Amino acid sequence: MTQDCRAIGASPETTRSVRRQFATQLSIERTRLLYQGSLLPTLFMLLNGLLCAWLLWSPGRYLLVGVWLAWLLALVALRVIQVAAFEAATAVRQAKSTWRRMFLFGSAFSGLTLASAAIALAPVENFVQQAWAFGLLGAAALSASVAYAVSLPAFLSFALPCLLPPIVFLFIHDAGQQRGWGWLGLIALGALMVVAWQVNRLIERGLLRRFQNQALIEHLQSAQRLGEDLNHQLSGEIRQRRQAEDELRQAHAGLEQRVAQRSHELDLANQALSKSEQRLALALEASELGLWDWNLETDEVHHTQLQALFGLDADRVRTVRADLKPRMHPDDLALLRRTLVEHLKGRSEDYRVEYRVRHAQGHWCWIEDRGRAVERDGAGKVLRMLGTRRDITAQKEQEEQQRLAATVFEAASEGIAILDAEFQLLAVNQAFCDVTGHGRAELIARNALELPCSRDARRHSQVIDQALEQQGRWQGELVEARKNGELYPQWLQLNSVRDARGKIVNIVGFFTDLSARRESEERLRYLAHYDELTGLANRALFRLRLHEAAQRIRLNGRSLALLHVDLDRFKLLNESLGHELADQLLKKMAQRLANAVPEADTVARLSGDEFAVLFDGYTNLSSLVRVTTRLLDKLRVPQRVGGHEVVISASVGISLLSDANFDLNMLVSQADMAKQHAKHLGGDNFQFYTESLRASTLERLQLENQLRKAIDEGQLLVYYQPKLCLRTGQLHAAEALVRWQHPEWGMVPPSEFIGLAEETGLIAPMGEFVLRQACWQACEWLRQGMEVRVSVNLSVYQLRQGKLVSLVRQVLQESGLVPHLLELELTESQLIDSVEHIIVTFEQLHGLGVKLAIDDFGTGYSSLSYLKRFPVDYVKIDQAFIRGLLEGSQDAAITRAIIAMAKSLQLKVVAEGVETLEQLAFLREHGCDEVQGYLISRPVDAAAFEVLLQQPRTRWEA
């Protein structure tokens, strides 16, 4: 502290250090000085404000000057109250930062109040009043700035709001006189800031000196008190030392007498001790024990046999903690410490512990320490211990080998038995008991060959004895019995143990239960040829049986038929019921299939829901037809699975192995083609393979390849069939239809490729192509002034993909077509597939503003429920009802009912397939909204459609 005081003003770094040390005291003291020095400037500001108001009091300024004067009086009153509150507060409350912030706010408001008088009250045209006003305000600012200079933030919070606004105000006016006042005010503000800075430095230095002096005084007082305490302690220690010297002299005199007496006794004891040590050394050397003597107070220890035990010289191990403890095994330290503490506390009569010590050669050796506390002080604390130690490494290794052998013996998965030379059981492990079912008490001391579980071994006893005597071992497979009489296969191995004279003293037997291995082999053999779920032959066994049947046919000329069976719509059931119930259903169907054709040579499961039935030697085709018909009838019988009643039909393809063709792969392929044809016809039927079917299949495959090529090479076209609005008689809508212009085949009818596209999944890219072309064309017509609503047909495949909404949104954005000019149609019969998903998709499309329609209405299922649940705008009456309007009353009644029902639901009705004026008149009479058909126009390309739009349609008027 003294050095800090001498360093005041010596260097900036020292000054900053002192300022940081007394930062809190400086802040509190500045706040107190600000409040103490603010009263006089506040009153002076009030006086100047009154004089300024008196000078500026004029008839035109009564209200403005009065308001300003009232605000000044209120502000001065608040400042006086604030100073009084600060003076009344305790020192702890005065130290809070709130007082400082309140003072800064007050000074800022005071400065702004004076500045407002200079700007708003002093008239610019009256030089005298302006000079008086600025002079009085400058005097008030000067007095307050000097008083607030104790804190630069306080000075700036008052000076800047007070002087800077008037200076800026004077510079704004163009008059030269005002600019002069502005420059004068700017110089005055700079001078005030310099003065405030100097005053602040002087005050801060004075405060720093005062706090340092105060701290120095406190430090000197503390040092004085410390010196007085040290003097008192020194006096007491001098008195104690004199007293201790007197007592020491008295004790020294008595000690000399006792030393002389004890010296003679010690000589006699040393002689006896020397003889005793010699005898003890001989005994320890004979017993290979090392002696240790441990002084617990000094930690010194004396050893014997240290070289023999640890390979160390006695000079290298003088203390326990420093020399011996680092050589001990870390895992044994806790046990050693716990055992030693127990003995030192008197809880054990003897100290005995086993631990490991690193030998001088680097290996670990086991040591056994035995000892006892032989000397304690008056409080019972042990001062000395004596004991012995010996090397038990060989014993520990033997115990470890025995423990390991016992563990292996018990943990072995094979049954192990140890016998004597007469086959008496000496020991068995747990595996032996687990396999045979006998307990240890039933086996020990009994002859192994006389046990009920050794019947097969007794039959081979002579061979076993001869092999053990000549070769020392025997092994072989036996069939033995458990305690409960169960037979099991066993692999037995016997080994003889001979003594030093070569005589057999023990026999060690190992045996393994082969039951699990036999079961695994049987299981693997079964799984290699049979289906695990249904129990039928698998594909591998089917191929083997097919090959064997073909070989028999070559030899005896018998006939061979193959049935390829595929369950209809099983994939849909699998998705609906779940895999577990579907597997149960598949097992039941496989059982039905096997029971339905008992005369079949082989019934196999090829994959999933596909099966194969092989007939080796059928009599004629009529019998084969009867068998197949019976098979289909039994398969379609309803059955219950998981609480559901399910009806499953099948599609069957039949191929025959002819004398001219023995190609088995061709036989399987032909059956598969016949099965595919049966499924194409709707399922629940059987079809024979024919050459025409093969040609049809090849033609269909070729058509599929050409269709893929047509999509990639742009062979598809979009035609438009007009729709007539019966209310206006105008063509205002069209249905977009895809056409295929093949470069060689010409125009391919839609009936030949639409179904194929749906089966192969090509309907998705085809539908996207039609959607894009229709939207672009409708947008082009709209730009030409022709507003045409285009309708595009959807497929269930597009809905299943889950990308329809995003695709429609993207196409509308790219083409720029308004959504209400796009109409999407879905056939009613397709709505039964994933109804909930289709409803969600339709709601999203409807939200985009796209029009929706149900096509072929009246031909599907649950029509009323669809109209209620689906957010559709149009209902299209199927052309089957339109064709029969004039032929009978039923089609007319159905048509009228559909129109009335749609009208009641506020839906529009479109009739398709209109070909006569009579049909048109009937539909107009009963309120149909739109019609399409050959009467209006066939599907045409975009150019021809534009021509139709421009032609008059008066012949359709009523």
Side-chain angles (χ1 to χ4, degrees):
M1 181 63 68
T2 305
Q3 293 176 357
D4 291 343
C5 294
R6 288 197 303 268
I8 288 294
S11 66
E13 183 62 31
T14 305
T15 303
R16 285 194 295 269
S17 176
V18 173
R19 185 177 289 108
R20 285 195 300 269
Q21 182 178 358
F22 299 102
T24 304
Q25 293 89 334
L26 284 172
S27 177
I28 296 172
E29 186 63 20
R30 288 195 197 97
T31 304
R32 190 181 63 80
L33 291 176
L34 284 174
Y35 274 94
Q36 287 181 354
S38 65
L39 186 59
L40 184 60
T42 302
L43 297 177
F44 189 73
M45 181 180 66
L46 175 62
L47 179 60
N48 288 1
L50 293 173
L51 290 175
C52 186
W54 177 73
L55 289 173
L56 300 176
W57 191 265
S58 61
R61 297 179 178 269
Y62 286 158
L63 180 60
L64 187 60
V65 174
V67 171
W68 178 82
L69 185 59
W71 166 252
L72 179 64
L73 292 174
L75 184 61
V76 169
L78 289 175
R79 295 285 284 174
V80 172
I81 292 171
Q82 182 181 358
V83 173
F86 178 83
E87 294 295 337
T90 62
V92 176
R93 292 188 58 193
Q94 288 179 353
K96 294 183 178 179
S97 60
T98 306
W99 294 103
R100 179 177 177 84
R101 289 196 295 270
M102 290 172 59
F103 186 90
L104 294 177
F105 284 136
S107 61
F109 278 117
S110 299
L112 288 173
T113 301
L114 294 177
S116 64
I119 296 173
L121 300 181
V124 180
E125 67 276 5
N126 193 332
F127 174 77
V128 176
Q129 289 185 357
Q130 191 179 34
W132 274 102
F134 278 99
L136 291 173
L137 295 178
L142 178 61
S143 63
S145 299
V146 174
Y148 297 165
V150 68
S151 173
L152 288 179
F155 164 76
L156 294 175
S157 67
F158 177 81
L160 292 178
C162 178
L163 297 178
L164 197 57
I167 292 172
V168 174
F169 175 77
L170 291 173
F171 273 110
I172 292 175
H173 288 77
D174 296 333
Q177 189 176 11
Q178 278 75 13
R179 289 183 177 273
W181 281 108
W183 284 110
L184 183 60
L186 192 61
I187 294 172
L189 176 61
L192 281 177
M193 294 180 67
V194 173
V195 171
W197 175 64
Q198 290 295 336
V199 172
N200 177 265
R201 287 184 60 195
L202 293 174
I203 292 174
E204 186 171 2
R205 285 189 179 182
L207 291 176
L208 286 175
R209 290 182 185 275
R210 189 178 74 182
F211 284 123
Q212 290 171 350
N213 292 336
Q214 182 179 351
L216 180 59
I217 292 172
E218 292 176 356
H219 179 72
L220 292 176
Q221 291 176 351
S222 176
Q224 183 178 0
R225 288 193 299 270
L226 180 61
E228 291 176 357
D229 293 341
L230 292 175
N231 290 332
H232 287 301
Q233 293 178 4
L234 182 59
S235 299
E237 291 178 356
I238 291 174
R239 288 194 300 271
Q240 292 177 359
R241 182 176 179 181
R242 290 176 180 175
Q243 184 179 357
E245 288 178 353
D246 293 339
E247 293 176 354
L248 184 60
R249 281 194 295 269
Q250 295 175 3
H252 185 268
L255 182 60
E256 287 182 350
Q257 295 178 359
R258 288 195 294 274
V259 168
Q261 181 181 357
R262 296 292 183 184
S263 296
H264 179 67
E265 296 176 355
L266 186 59
D267 291 339
L268 297 177
N270 287 335
Q271 294 177 3
L273 181 61
S274 177
K275 296 180 180 179
S276 177
E277 288 179 349
Q278 291 176 1
R279 290 194 296 270
L280 180 60
L282 292 174
L284 292 175
E285 185 176 356
S287 64
E288 296 183 353
L289 292 176
L291 178 67
W292 53 266
D293 182 359
W294 184 19
N295 187 336
L296 274 73
E297 288 187 304
T298 62
D299 196 37
E300 294 181 357
V301 61
H302 173 72
H303 303 271
T304 62
Q305 300 292 330
L306 197 64
Q307 179 67 35
L309 293 173
F310 300 160
L312 300 172
D313 296 332
D315 295 340
R316 297 184 58 182
V317 184
R318 295 182 178 274
T319 63
V320 172
R321 296 185 182 90
D323 299 330
L324 184 59
K325 182 180 177 181
R327 307 190 68 84
M328 296 181 181
H329 199 286
D331 296 342
D332 299 334
L333 289 176
L335 174 63
L336 192 147
R337 185 182 298 108
R338 185 169 58 252
T339 306
L340 180 61
V341 170
E342 290 289 323
H343 182 68
L344 294 178
K345 291 182 177 181
R347 299 174 184 172
S348 61
E349 183 177 357
D350 294 320
Y351 164 71
R352 181 181 180 278
V353 67
E354 297 176 356
Y355 57 90
R356 285 163 289 183
V357 176
R358 185 179 295 279
H359 196 272
Q361 296 179 359
H363 64 273
W364 293 101
C365 57
W366 278 95
I367 301 297
E368 180 192 53
D369 266 7
R370 292 177 178 267
R372 179 178 295 181
V374 297
E375 185 178 347
R376 297 178 182 267
D377 59 7
K381 180 181 178 181
V382 177
L383 302 178
R384 185 182 179 193
M385 288 184 65
L386 290 176
T388 61
R389 67 167 53 98
R390 65 189 181 99
D391 188 350
I392 58 171
T393 303
Q395 177 183 338
K396 281 289 184 179
E397 291 177 352
Q398 184 177 2
E399 292 176 356
E400 185 65 25
Q401 292 178 358
Q402 292 175 352
R403 183 163 50 251
L404 181 61
T407 302
V408 173
F409 181 75
E410 285 297 329
S413 59
E414 296 180 331
I416 304 176
I418 300 176
L419 309 92
D420 61 13
E422 304 300 327
F423 287 91
Q424 297 289 332
L425 285 168
L426 303 179
V428 294
N429 67 346
Q430 186 60 41
F432 188 102
C433 299
D434 294 339
V435 174
T436 62
H438 293 282
R440 278 193 174 90
E442 304 176 48
L443 300 173
I444 302 303
R446 295 186 60 182
N447 192 290
L449 298 177
E450 296 177 359
L451 293 174
C453 61
S454 303
R455 288 178 294 184
D456 202 7
R458 284 195 297 272
R459 290 194 295 268
H460 297 80
S461 59
Q462 294 182 355
V463 178
I464 292 174
D465 289 339
Q466 183 178 1
L468 290 176
E469 187 66 34
Q470 297 178 358
Q471 304 172 11
R473 60 192 304 271
W474 179 88
Q475 60 181 2
E477 183 174 346
L478 305 175
V479 178
E480 299 292 5
R482 308 187 200 275
K483 184 178 180 180
N484 59 8
E486 177 189 354
L487 298 178
Y488 68 97
Q490 176 191 105
W491 181 262
L492 177 63
Q493 179 179 349
L494 299 174
N495 294 282
S496 61
V497 180
R498 301 177 184 271
D499 59 11
R501 294 174 294 178
K503 182 180 179 181
I504 297 178
V505 293
N506 290 104
I507 300 172
V508 180
F510 303 88
F511 75 91
T512 303
D513 185 358
L514 301 178
S515 301
R517 183 182 300 176
R518 294 289 185 267
E519 292 176 359
S520 299
E521 291 173 355
E522 291 296 329
R523 180 65 176 169
L524 291 175
R525 190 178 299 109
Y526 175 82
L527 292 178
H529 295 92
Y530 292 91
D531 180 58
E532 186 175 9
L533 178 63
T534 61
L536 300 178
N538 60 11
R539 184 182 290 271
L541 183 57
F542 166 72
R543 286 285 184 179
L544 179 61
R545 295 277 179 84
L546 182 62
H547 180 73
E548 293 175 351
Q551 295 295 331
R552 289 194 298 270
I553 289 175
R554 289 189 179 95
L555 295 176
N556 53 33
R558 299 177 65 183
S559 55
L560 180 66
L562 173 62
L563 276 64
H564 194 154
V565 183
D566 188 358
L567 303 181
D568 296 330
R569 298 173 61 82
F570 185 78
K571 181 179 180 182
L572 178 61
L573 289 173
N574 195 4
E575 296 174 352
S576 303
L577 300 177
H579 295 296
E580 184 175 353
L581 293 180
D583 287 346
Q584 296 179 16
L585 178 61
L586 199 61
K587 291 172 64 176
K588 291 184 178 181
M589 295 302 294
Q591 188 64 36
R592 279 190 181 184
L593 180 62
N595 295 335
V597 286
E599 62 270 48
D601 178 64
T602 301
V603 179
R605 181 190 180 194
L606 300 181
S607 64
D609 58 341
E610 295 186 12
F611 301 87
V613 181
L614 187 63
F615 287 98
D616 180 8
Y618 67 92
T619 56
N620 50 50
L621 290 180
S622 59
S623 64
L624 195 59
V625 170
R626 287 194 301 272
V627 170
T628 308
T629 303
R630 182 183 64 198
L631 171 64
L632 292 176
D633 292 340
K634 290 189 176 182
L635 289 181
R636 74 168 68 95
V637 174
Q639 57 182 326
R640 297 191 65 83
V641 178
H644 303 278
E645 187 174 69
V646 181
V647 177
I648 297 292
S649 61
S651 300
V652 181
I654 306 174
S655 62
L656 306 176
L657 188 65
S658 62
D659 296 337
N661 185 10
F662 276 85
D663 190 348
L664 298 181
N665 293 328
M666 183 62 69
L667 179 70
V668 175
S669 176
Q670 291 171 354
D672 182 65
M673 282 190 285
K675 181 261 298 181
Q676 293 291 344
H677 184 53
K679 292 186 75 70
H680 183 67
L681 295 177
D684 195 18
N685 68 93
F686 64 90
Q687 295 293 321
F688 281 91
Y689 171 79
T690 61
E691 290 299 327
S692 61
L693 178 62
R694 178 179 180 85
S696 175
T697 303
L698 292 176
E699 180 182 353
R700 190 174 182 82
L701 180 61
Q702 182 182 11
L703 184 63
E704 179 184 349
N705 295 332
Q706 291 295 324
L707 182 58
R708 293 182 185 275
K709 186 177 180 181
I711 296 175
D712 296 336
E713 297 182 358
Q715 298 176 13
L716 299 181
L717 304 174
V718 177
Y719 275 39
Y720 301 91
Q721 185 172 26
K723 293 182 182 180
L724 176 66
C725 178
L726 296 182
R727 183 177 59 83
T728 63
Q730 297 295 323
L731 300 178
H732 70 139
E735 181 178 1
L737 301 171
V738 65
R739 293 294 183 263
W740 181 6
Q741 181 67 44
H742 194 276
E744 298 178 1
W745 302 341
M747 189 68 71
V748 181
S751 59
E752 295 187 8
F753 67 88
I754 292 297
L756 179 62
E758 291 179 347
E759 293 179 9
T760 58
L762 296 176
I763 194 68
M766 186 182 299
E768 181 178 350
F769 166 75
V770 175
L771 177 64
R772 292 183 181 275
Q773 288 295 112
C775 289
W776 280 106
Q777 187 60 58
C779 189
E780 179 63 27
W781 287 334
L782 185 62
R783 283 194 290 268
Q784 296 176 13
M786 297 177 290
E787 184 173 323
V788 180
R789 187 183 79 252
V790 292
S791 59
V792 179
N793 291 287
L794 296 177
S795 68
V796 176
Y797 189 86
Q798 290 175 285
L799 292 171
R800 288 176 181 171
Q801 285 185 320
K803 302 177 182 179
L804 180 61
V805 178
S806 59
L807 174 62
V808 172
R809 184 185 293 110
Q810 179 185 358
V811 172
L812 289 175
Q813 291 176 354
E814 292 177 355
S815 63
L817 181 65
V818 290
H820 72 271
L821 292 182
L822 174 62
E823 177 184 336
L824 300 177
E825 298 181 8
L826 186 66
T827 304
E828 182 188 8
S829 59
Q830 296 175 325
L831 297 177
I832 63 173
D833 191 3
S834 303
V835 175
E836 300 299 330
H837 173 67
I838 295 176
I839 291 176
V840 173
T841 304
F842 269 35
E843 289 175 349
Q844 294 175 351
L845 292 171
H846 204 267
L848 294 177
V850 175
K851 302 298 181 181
L852 302 173
I854 296 180
D855 195 8
D856 298 339
F857 188 80
T859 61
Y861 305 95
S862 305
S863 302
L864 293 177
S865 64
Y866 290 148
L867 287 179
K868 181 179 68 174
R869 298 179 65 188
F870 286 85
V872 297
D873 303 285
Y874 295 90
V875 172
K876 297 187 69 175
I877 304 175
D878 187 71
Q879 58 183 350
F881 301 113
I882 304 301
R883 292 194 189 101
L885 282 179
L886 305 178
E887 298 176 0
S889 60
Q890 292 183 351
D891 290 337
I894 293 174
T895 303
R896 286 194 298 267
I898 293 175
I899 294 175
M901 179 178 58
K903 291 297 182 181
S904 65
L905 295 175
Q906 297 181 353
L907 301 177
K908 291 186 177 182
V909 181
V910 182
E912 56 182 356
V914 178
E915 298 180 354
T916 65
L917 291 173
E918 290 78 8
Q919 295 171 347
L920 180 64
F922 179 90
L923 294 171
R924 178 184 285 114
E925 178 183 356
H926 290 89
C928 183
D929 297 292
E930 299 177 2
V931 295
Q932 69 180 90
Y934 285 179
L935 177 63
I936 312 303
S937 173
R938 291 177 177 271
V940 295
D941 57 17
F945 185 81
E946 293 177 6
V947 175
L948 290 174
L949 290 176
Q950 297 170 3
Q951 292 179 0
R953 297 297 169 188
T954 55
R955 61 190 180 99
W956 294 320
E957 296 295 332

